[in-house]
Structure formats: structure tokens, C-alpha cells
Amino acid sequence: ADDDESRTRANDVDANDIDSDDIDAVADRLAADADEDEAWDELDHISGGTIAYGRIPWPNDELDDISEGSLRRLPASVERARLDRLAARYHPDEFFARYGDRINEADAARVLEKVREVSRAVEERRASLRRDS
């Protein structure tokens, strides 16, 4: 029990270490995540028709920002949760199992390339977080 408690304390953030910029960064990230969630919900509820490249809710962050960890102002737990969500959404097999038959044929190669690019950036950052922790 003592080990669990000390690990929990080690992961806690000291309130004195949090500044308003950190709070703003988390609030901005949560708002952007909510917007992305809404866009995914809309995509999931499109009935019939095809999905064009521009209709897919690509990450708001630049891919370099994701893989290089420019989200570092976020607490590690928030960044990990964000990356886990991105990994689930943009894993090529998962993405195409869910949406592949609805992707506009003319956009299919471009969508596949972008999904792989996002997935790669996310996995690079997740690996970096695992090394750093």
C-alpha cells in the first residue's frame, strides 16, 4: 500500500507548479478535443453517400507538433490520453474497417497516406513519452 501511495504522490502535480499558461493550455486542448469529438460524431452519423478527404476531422495539431511533443505544456496524463484517442481514431486498420467502404474513391489513396502519417506521428510521440517516463 505504501508503494502505491508513493507512486500516486510522485504522479501528482504540485499546485504551486501550475501557472495560468498551463491551465490555459489544458482548457484550449479540451475545447479542441470537444470540437474534434463533435466532428467525429457527425462523420459517424452521415447516412449514405461517400466521405471526401476534406470531410474527415484531421487533428487540429500539426503532425510535427504531435511527434515532437509540442503539447508538452500539457500534463503528461492529458497528453497520453489525447495520444491514445488519436491512436484509436487513426490506426489504419481501424480507420479503414470503420470508414473504408464510405471513402470517396478519388480520395482513397490520399486518405490512406494521411491516416498513416497521423498514425506514425502519434506512435512516435507515444514511444517518446514511454522513454521519458
Side-chain angles (χ1 to χ4, degrees):
D2 288 335
D3 287 339
D4 290 338
E5 188 175 320
S6 63
R7 268 191 298 253
T8 300
R9 260 190 252 119
N11 292 329
D12 287 344
V13 175
D14 184 351
N16 295 324
D17 292 339
I18 299 173
D19 64 22
S20 63
D21 289 340
D22 293 332
I23 293 169
D24 289 345
V26 171
D28 290 347
R29 178 74 265 145
L30 292 173
D33 286 350
D35 290 345
E36 286 180 15
D37 288 344
E38 186 177 319
W40 281 99
D41 287 344
E42 289 174 14
L43 189 68
D44 286 339
H45 292 98
I46 292 175
S47 58
T50 59
I51 301 170
Y53 178 90
R55 185 68 179 89
I56 298 168
W58 302 112
N60 291 330
D61 307 308
E62 293 296 321
L63 294 181
D64 289 342
D65 292 344
I66 293 171
S67 62
E68 293 172 9
S70 69
L71 305 176
R72 288 175 210 227
R73 286 182 40 200
L74 298 177
S77 60
V78 173
E79 185 177 3
R80 278 189 196 95
R82 166 121 176 93
L83 291 169
D84 289 347
R85 290 175 58 212
L86 289 172
R89 285 183 173 156
Y90 294 102
H91 185 280
D93 294 338
E94 299 293 325
F95 184 92
F96 281 95
R98 187 169 193 159
Y99 303 107
D101 61 338
R102 297 169 50 205
I103 299 294
N104 182 336
E105 237 180 89
D107 292 334
R110 185 175 170 205
V111 168
L112 177 59
E113 181 181 332
K114 182 70 170 187
V115 167
R116 286 179 175 162
E117 185 180 0
V118 172
S119 180
R120 221 175 359 261
V122 168
E123 291 308 318
E124 286 172 10
R125 183 61 189 140
R126 288 171 88 193
S128 174
L129 278 174
R130 284 189 293 272
R131 283 191 303 270
D132 293 346
S133 56

